[in-house]
Amino acid sequence: MKVQPRLLISLIFPLVFFILSLLIYVGYSEYKSNQNTAFNQATSNVRIAREYLEHHFVSAESHLYLLEQLWEQKNSISGVMEAAQTIVNAKSKYLEVGLLAYGNYYGTGGFNKEAVTGYIANRPWYKQAEPGQTYITPIYLSGSTGKWTVALVSVLETLQNQEVRILLEINVASLYENLSLLKTLTNGYVYAVERKTGNIVMHPDMTRIGTPSVSVSTDLIARIEDGEYQGIISSYTYKDEEKFSVYDAYSLHNWIVLSGTARSDIIMHTFSISAVTRVRSRTFSDQIL
């Protein structure tokens, strides 16, 4: 029986259309599945990172409290600085402990400045605060160590009409080392941004530290201030790449912790899975034949 070309064409085109539609559906389903995987990984990374950071900041506050108690018991500069040096030597995540007292600044490692009252208000770790308050500074480049830091600062009772403060500088690069291991898919990462300034405090690219974040807009900061502490930044563009991030602004240190990746990462992950699936399917078929 001779098959008519017209009949053959009428059978082939629907079959091709069906196969193409099936491939598109399977590809789209894999993409959506990988997208959900990316969101889940990013959410988990943010939770782990937030808990990790909170643990270290609670530890830093405890060390700062011990130094406060030493000062309040004896008002001894040498006693506080000796204990401070012991803490800095034992903890690589601390850069420096500073004591502002009697109009002078005393730092670990022998970094001392006398008669600083006239210009101390210009230091990046200084802000107007009442005795009994403890605050965290915005990120700044430490003048004595040359490294990026944030400082926990405790404001104590004045002595001889002079301000007394103890500050503990934290090495953000050292603090970030373990967080850099958290990945979303292949190329995603964890980072952190200051809520008040929108500046980056932690990032795998050190050149981004202290610069404005692209993902955290003023609109997002406003939503967070209104109580939207957790959520998804569904789309933003950086260096011509469309990205997403999951964020969490619940923290002890007024930071936004984020994790995400580029959409292209999800697409490439989908391609890699599809390729493996096709190879396995072909191998299985060959075994059957």
Side-chain angles (χ1 to χ4, degrees), residues 26-27 30-31 34 267-281:
V26 170
E30 287 184 353
Y31 176 82
N34 290 325
I267 294 172
M268 293 305 297
H269 196 69
T270 302
F271 283 157
S272 65
I273 290 176
S274 298
V276 171
T277 301
R278 285 194 295 270
V279 169
R280 287 179 177 174
S281 298

Side-chain angles (χ1 to χ4, degrees), residues 168-181:
L168 175 58
E169 288 189 338
I170 300 170
N171 185 343
V172 292
S174 178
L175 190 61
Y176 185 71
E177 284 178 358
N178 290 333
L179 295 183
S180 64
L181 301 176

Side-chain angles (χ1 to χ4, degrees), residues 32 37 44 69 73 83-84 104 150 233 251 275:
K32 295 299 290 184
T37 298
S44 177
Q69 295 304 301
Q73 287 175 15
N104 303 318
V150 295
I233 306 169
S251 67

